[in-house]
């Protein structure tokens, strides 16, 4: 190995006309022969919350057995390769998902709005919405000073709905799971082009016309930083040159796919007001957003992400897996076998996409480990059995290593109706952001620690 005194800052960027490209962790960013080389990524902790709507086919979710001897259920089977970095949690509940007093229906809106806040939300169709600060934003406020973006909020469905969406509740409650303040729900972005530009720049506006004009010029973001890249390649060693090349190839491939999706959207759906940049198929859209999240982690642009696979009461259809009916009506199955089977198919489909994301993280080097080692992922829903809008025994799992904070390979059963907020307190604690109380918490749940 050739050692030099040259060292790159962890904040080194490739800069060009209107573009800034962050880089992954390189050997050249760590002092030679320093103890930092072996612990460069160990101190970085990342968090993601992936929300799936309309509850779960619970008999096909809950594993048999508990502790290390649990057996994977049909829905969780896709996660088998990641058993050692997986915790399935049973018994957690969101009591504020239930109506308070005479509020009546509105369980879907409450399920999303309280999932990360643990507080009662005001029933209103107007602008006077009232919720609580979400757990992810508590982490983002503490960790945001170390990254360019405090947090990233992603979705797969349009969140531009206004007015009432669920029995007297404003659409704002169902459009997001992230709340910066009790009156400020954060918008979730469903357009991959807008997400890409937020991460990497290259334009002064995210206006659709401006983005399409840029595509017409057939100029890649990376083209504008090519000279900076050439200089960087001369400064780093062979191993780093390979890392940079592989990483930028991945960035270019994602950009190409976004551009292709925009072109296809225009050609195939000229009469549909579909946001430009959204791929034609749900699967490609979901995978693309997962890959953008992975890039955000890889470049350390943010350490906190939320991702809604769908909004509550989603009516998306899934003909590609044999479910041409809308998701929400299917979820009210009334124990009809054909509906139960189709609901399970949707749940399995979502889980396979999540498993693909885990594989992407596991395959991405981060210091002496992988991105999966450093991230703590919460996957779940604010409803268990959707047919009766049940907020007991929610489908919740954790994946990843959390920077050495989690030890997987377990199914943990907590006492029934343990507040979901107790889990949020424990996760914040493991993110290095301890708090005394959160929502309706009664304390922190015990999680198996990797340290």
């Amino acid at each position: 190995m050739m050692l030099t005194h040259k060292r790159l800052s962890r904040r080194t960027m490739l800069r060009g006309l209107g573009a800034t490209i962050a880089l992954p962790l390189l050997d050249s960013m760590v002092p030679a022969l320093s103890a930092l080389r072996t612990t460069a990524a160990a101190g970085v902790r990342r968090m993601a919350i992936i929300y799936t709507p309309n509850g779960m086919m619970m008999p096909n979710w809950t594993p048999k057995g508990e502790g290390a001897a649990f057996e994977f259920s049909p829905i969780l089977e896709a996660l088998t390769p990641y058993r050692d970095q997986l915790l399935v949690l049973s018994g957690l509940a969101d009591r504020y998902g239930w109506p308070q007093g005479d509020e009546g229906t509105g369980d879907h809106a409450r399920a999303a709005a309280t999932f990360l806040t643990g507080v009662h939300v005001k029933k209103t169709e107007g602008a006077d919405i009232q919720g609580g600060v979400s757990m992810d934003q508590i982490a983002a406020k503490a960790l945001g000073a170390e990254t360019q973006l405090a947090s990233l909020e992603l979705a797969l469905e349009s969140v531009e709905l206004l007015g009432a969406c669920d029995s007297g509740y404003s659409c704002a409650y169902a459009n997001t799971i992230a709340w910066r303040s009790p009156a400020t729900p954060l918008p979730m972005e469903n357009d991959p082009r807008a997400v890409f530009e937020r991460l990497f720049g290259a334009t002064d506006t995210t206006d659709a016309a401006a983005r399409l004009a840029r595509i017409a010029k057939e100029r890649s973001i990376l083209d504008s930083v090519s000279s900076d890249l050439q200089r960087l390649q001369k400064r780093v060693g062979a191993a780093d040159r390979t890392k940079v090349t592989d990483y930028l190839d991945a960035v270019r491939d994602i950009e190409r796919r976004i551009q292709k999706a925009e072109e296809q959207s225009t050609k195939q759906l000229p009469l549909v007001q579909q946001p430009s940049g959204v791929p034609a198929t749900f699967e490609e859209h979901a995978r693309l957003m997962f890959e953008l999240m992975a890039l955000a982690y890889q470049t350390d642009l943010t350490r906190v992400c939320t991702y809604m696979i769908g909004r509550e009461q989603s009516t998306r259809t899934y003909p590609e897996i044999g479910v041409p009916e809308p998701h929400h009506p299917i979820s009210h199955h009334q124990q009809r076998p054909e509906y139960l089977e189709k609901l399970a198919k949707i749940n399995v489909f979502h889980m396979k996409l999540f498993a693909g994301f885990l594989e992407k993280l596991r395959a991405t080097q981060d210091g002496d480990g992988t991105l999966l080692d450093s991230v703590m992922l919460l996957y779940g829903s604010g409803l268990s059995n959707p047919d009766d809008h049940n907020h007991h025994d929610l489908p919740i799992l954790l994946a990843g290593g959390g920077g050495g904070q989690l030890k997987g390979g377990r199914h943990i059963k907590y006492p029934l109706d343990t507040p979901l907020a107790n889990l949020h307190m424990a996760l914040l604690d493991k993110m290095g952001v301890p708090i005394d109380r959160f929502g309706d918490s009664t304390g922190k749940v015990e999680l198996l620690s990797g340290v």
Side-chain angles (χ1 to χ4, degrees), residues 129-180:
I129 56 174
Q130 190 73 17
V133 179
S134 56
M135 173 267 284
D136 63 297
Q137 289 306 299
I138 294 175
K141 184 177 181 179
L143 303 175
E146 302 177 29
T147 58
Q148 288 190 38
L149 301 176
S151 61
L152 189 64
E153 294 77 39
L154 308 176
L156 294 180
E157 292 182 301
S158 173
V159 293
E160 296 179 355
L161 297 175
L162 301 174
C165 283
D166 185 13
S167 304
Y169 285 88
S170 167
C171 291
Y173 290 123
N175 284 347
T176 185
I177 56 173
W179 290 69
R180 179 170 292 154

Side-chain angles (χ1 to χ4, degrees), residues 10-15 19-26 29 148 199-201 221-222 225 232 244 247-248 251 295-302:
R10 179 66 183 96
R11 298 300 174 203
T12 298
M13 303 283 180
L14 299 181
R15 301 182 186 277
T20 300
I21 303 294
L23 292 169
L25 180 65
L26 304 176
M29 295 173 178
Q148 288 190 38
L199 293 173
F200 302 112
I221 284 178
L222 295 182
V225 297
L232 175 67
V244 172
Y247 164 67
L248 293 180
V251 174
L295 274 177
Y297 286 146
Q298 187 179 3
T299 54
D300 206 28
L301 287 171
T302 190

